[in-house]
């Protein structure tokens, strides 16, 4: 072989190797560089593209026949459509705006367009308006800042969109009007328990939602949409744990709160209501909760006790408002039937007992409530539910002169979800 031919062979080999290297590098570069569409997808979305809407509306009729009608049987805390001269009413009309506006920040805004202020019905008012601020990337630790539900009990936290009974029970709901207040709350739950909270709601098992395994917070204490009046915030703590017992989900919880509630007396010509020892009264409760989710048989019960503003007992202290003992709770039995002419049918029975005051009502009347509710929720489609309930009640009226009333009420509610 001549020197020229040898040199030519080496040159050809070098050129071939260079071409192979260049093609391999180009292929690797093409694999590492995503196409334009992928690059666009990875760009951060504007925050408003992450916002979603949902809501529900409840329309009621309470004038169906019953065995013992009493038009003086009213419940201003629960349902303003009880009593005489009532007809159809919109109990709730909610629109929820929610979503992640940042990897560590989400918002939740919920106005209600069916609130009542005095004699004016269907007034728009703020229910929830808060931000969740997540400390970690797994979103197990978060702070909730704004007006939101106070983590006290199970049924208080359960959305009215999911709850079986038409109204919350007096014993637990007397702690917090509208279940909400303005404050700062801290929640913690492992990611798999957060998934479980979500499942217990999405599956139709009537969960209360994700308020953490541990919930702590401070809040004004004068109840939702009311200004603080004593510069003395309430403190609340709650621990709950949903677990599997065999093949059935069970959730047990305990909690409590402490603060001082500022209340004003409203004397009448024939009733000189007065404060026993100043307006800032001790307001404190402890609670235990147990829920056996309906699979298909379910059970739910809560009991709380403590002290709070209340009128006294007749006759010695009937005109004096002071911080007095309170106690009460409820128990509910339910049975979930799936695929029965629709999505599900859940008959239920609930009994409520409560003895104590209602701090947010004029003069904090002392209640004696004994109530039995029998009903059934029929979820025809995911977007439509019909609930019928028959209530047998013996309760103190929230209106002066706060007399005891007995009666029955037959009610019907249509709820549409969107």
């Amino acid at each position: 072989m001549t020197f020229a031919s040898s040199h030519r062979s080496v040159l050809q080999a070098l050129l071939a190797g260079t071409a192979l290297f260049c093609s391999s590098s180009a292929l690797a570069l093409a694999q590492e560089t995503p196409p334009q569409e992928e690059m666009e997808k990875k760009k951060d979305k504007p925050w408003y593209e992450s916002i979603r809407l949902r809501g529900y509306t409840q329309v009621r009729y309470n004038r169906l026949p019953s065995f013992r009608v009493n038009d003086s049987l009213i419940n201003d805390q629960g349902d303003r459509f009880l009593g005489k001269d009532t007809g159809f009413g919109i109990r709730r009309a909610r629109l929820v705006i929610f979503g992640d506006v940042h990897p560590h920040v989400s918002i939740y805004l919920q106005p209600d367009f069916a609130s009542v202020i005095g004699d004016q019905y269907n007034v728009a008012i703020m229910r929830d308006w808060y931000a969740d601020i997540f400390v970690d990337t797994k979103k197990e630790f978060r702070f909730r800042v704004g007006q939101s539900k106070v983590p006290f009990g199970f049924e208080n936290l359960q959305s009215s969109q999911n709850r079986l009974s038409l109204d919350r029970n007096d014993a637990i709901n007397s702690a917090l009007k509208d279940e909400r207040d303005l404050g700062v709350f801290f929640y913690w739950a492992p990611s798999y328990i957060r998934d479980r909270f979500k499942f217990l709601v999405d599956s139709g098992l009537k969960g209360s939602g994700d308020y953490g395994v541990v919930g702590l917070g401070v809040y004004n204490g004068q109840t939702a949409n009311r200004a603080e009046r004593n510069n003395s915030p309430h403190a609340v703590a709650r621990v709950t744990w949903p677990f599997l017992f065999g093949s059935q989900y069970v959730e047990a919880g305990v909690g409590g709160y402490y603060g001082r509630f500022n209340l004003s007396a409203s004397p009448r010509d024939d009733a000189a209501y007065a404060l026993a020892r100043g307006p800032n009264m001790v307001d404190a409760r402890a609670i235990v909760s147990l829920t056996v989710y309906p699979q298909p048989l379910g059970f739910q019960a809560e009991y709380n006790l403590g002290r709070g503003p209340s009128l006294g007992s007749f006759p010695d202290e009937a005109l004096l408002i002071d911080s007095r003992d309170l106690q009460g709770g409820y128990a509910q039995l339910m049975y979930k039937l799936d695929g029965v002419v629709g999505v599900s049918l859940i008959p239920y029975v609930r009994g409520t007992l409560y003895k104590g005051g209602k701090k947010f009502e004029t003069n904090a009347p002392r209640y004696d409530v004994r109530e039995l509710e029998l009903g059934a929720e029929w979820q025809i489609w995911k977007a439509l539910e019909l609930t019928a309930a028959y209530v047998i009640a013996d309760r103190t009226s929230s209106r002066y002169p706060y007399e005891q009333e007995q009666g029955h009420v037959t009610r019907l509610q249509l709820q549409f979800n969107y």
Side-chain angles (χ1 to χ4, degrees):
M1 179 182 295
T2 65
F3 176 79
S5 62
S6 175
H7 181 71
R8 191 166 44 248
S9 299
V10 171
L11 184 59
Q12 289 174 345
L14 286 172
L15 290 172
T18 302
L20 179 61
F21 174 78
C22 290
S23 63
S24 299
S25 300
L27 179 61
L29 184 62
Q31 291 175 342
E32 291 176 2
T33 306
Q36 186 66 23
E37 291 182 6
E38 291 297 320
M39 292 178 68
E40 292 296 330
K41 287 181 181 179
K42 290 185 178 181
K43 287 184 179 179
D44 290 337
K45 290 182 178 180
W47 65 268
Y48 50 81
E49 291 187 7
S50 301
I51 300 300
R52 292 180 286 172
L53 297 175
R54 65 175 175 83
Y56 67 99
T57 300
Q58 296 173 340
V59 179
R60 288 189 187 175
Y61 187 70
N62 296 336
R63 301 296 294 178
L64 295 171
S66 60
F67 290 107
R68 186 180 179 182
V69 176
N70 179 4
D71 287 337
S72 296
L73 184 71
I74 57 173
N75 181 8
D76 285 342
Q77 176 190 354
D79 189 345
R80 292 295 184 98
F81 304 107
L82 293 175
K84 64 179 180 179
D85 300 328
T86 57
F88 291 100
I90 299 177
R91 179 66 177 90
R92 293 176 179 89
R94 305 286 176 87
L95 182 64
V96 181
I97 305 166
F98 67 104
D100 296 333
V101 296
H102 183 273
H104 288 274
V105 181
S106 67
I107 62 168
Y108 189 97
L109 319 175
Q110 180 178 212
D112 181 19
F113 297 92
S115 296
V116 178
I117 299 179
D119 294 330
Q120 180 66 53
Y121 282 60
N122 301 325
V123 176
I125 198 169
M126 183 175 75
R127 294 298 178 191
D128 298 281
W129 209 274
Y130 64 81
D132 275 342
I133 304 168
F134 298 96
V135 178
D136 61 318
T137 55
K138 295 177 68 177
K139 297 187 175 182
E140 295 182 342
F141 299 85
R142 70 190 190 273
F143 289 92
R144 180 166 292 178
V145 183
Q147 180 163 295
S148 67
K149 287 184 177 178
V150 176
F152 180 76
F154 181 91
E155 191 181 77
N156 262 19
L157 297 177
Q158 190 180 37
S159 171
S160 298
Q161 185 177 16
N162 299 326
R163 193 182 60 251
L164 280 174
S165 54
L166 294 187
D167 295 310
R168 289 183 173 88
N169 71 95
D170 294 81
I172 312 302
N173 198 231
S174 56
L176 289 145
K177 183 179 183 295
D178 297 322
E179 307 84 54
R180 297 163 172 85
D181 210 330
L182 185 62
V184 179
F185 305 95
F186 168 79
Y187 294 111
W188 168 78
S191 56
Y192 76 97
I193 294 295
R194 295 199 70 200
D195 292 340
R196 185 170 296 176
F197 283 136
K198 186 176 186 302
F199 166 77
L200 292 171
V201 173
D202 294 346
S203 62
L205 292 178
K206 305 300 180 183
S208 65
D210 182 2
Y211 293 86
V213 168
V214 175
L216 306 170
V218 289
Y219 58 101
N220 278 344
Q222 293 294 134
T223 69
N225 298 313
R226 296 186 181 186
E228 176 65 298
R229 296 180 61 185
N230 55 17
N231 198 30
S232 176
H234 280 51
V236 65
R238 176 179 183 254
V239 178
T240 191
W241 187 260
F243 60 93
L244 269 173
F245 185 76
S247 60
Q248 191 154 22
Y249 282 104
V250 177
E251 184 172 345
V254 296
Y257 71 80
Y258 179 88
R260 288 187 174 271
F261 190 86
N262 187 295
L263 184 140
S264 301
S266 297
R268 295 177 177 271
D269 291 340
D270 55 345
Y273 294 112
L275 303 176
R277 62 189 79 210
N280 291 324
M281 303 179 187
V282 170
D283 178 26
R285 299 193 186 200
I287 188 170
V288 293
S289 308
L290 176 66
T291 301
V292 180
Y293 288 94
Q295 297 173 284
L297 182 65
F299 176 76
Q300 184 177 320
E302 295 187 88
Y303 192 84
N304 75 161
L305 53 82
R307 294 182 65 84
S310 171
L311 283 174
S313 301
F314 185 83
D316 298 333
E317 297 180 317
L319 301 180
L320 288 179
I321 306 168
D322 201 354
S323 183
R324 305 182 188 279
D325 291 340
L326 59 87
Q327 60 177 324
Y330 71 94
Q332 177 176 285
L333 194 65
M334 47 198 158
Y335 197 88
K336 188 172 187 287
L337 298 166
D338 293 326
V340 179
V341 193
V343 178
S344 64
L345 178 67
I346 311 179
Y348 68 92
V349 56
R350 184 182 75 170
T352 299
L353 296 173
Y354 178 57
K355 288 189 177 183
K358 290 196 178 180
K359 59 191 177 187
F360 44 79
E361 293 184 355
T362 302
N363 293 323
R366 187 166 185 81
Y367 274 69
D368 184 356
V369 178
R370 286 159 284 177
E371 192 169 85
L372 181 67
E373 180 174 337
L374 302 95
E377 177 192 277
W378 177 28
Q379 190 173 70
I380 306 168
W381 305 297
K382 288 290 185 181
L384 194 66
E385 301 174 16
L386 183 65
T387 301
Y390 191 84
V391 179
I392 303 169
D394 182 345
R395 63 166 48 245
T396 307
S397 173
S398 59
R399 300 176 188 174
Y400 179 79
Y402 315 125
E403 294 180 343
Q404 200 72 12
E405 301 289 349
Q406 298 83 34
H408 301 181
V409 181
T410 305
R411 300 191 286 172
L412 201 63
Q413 174 179 284
L414 186 70
Q415 174 177 303
F416 36 99
N417 309 308
Y418 38 89

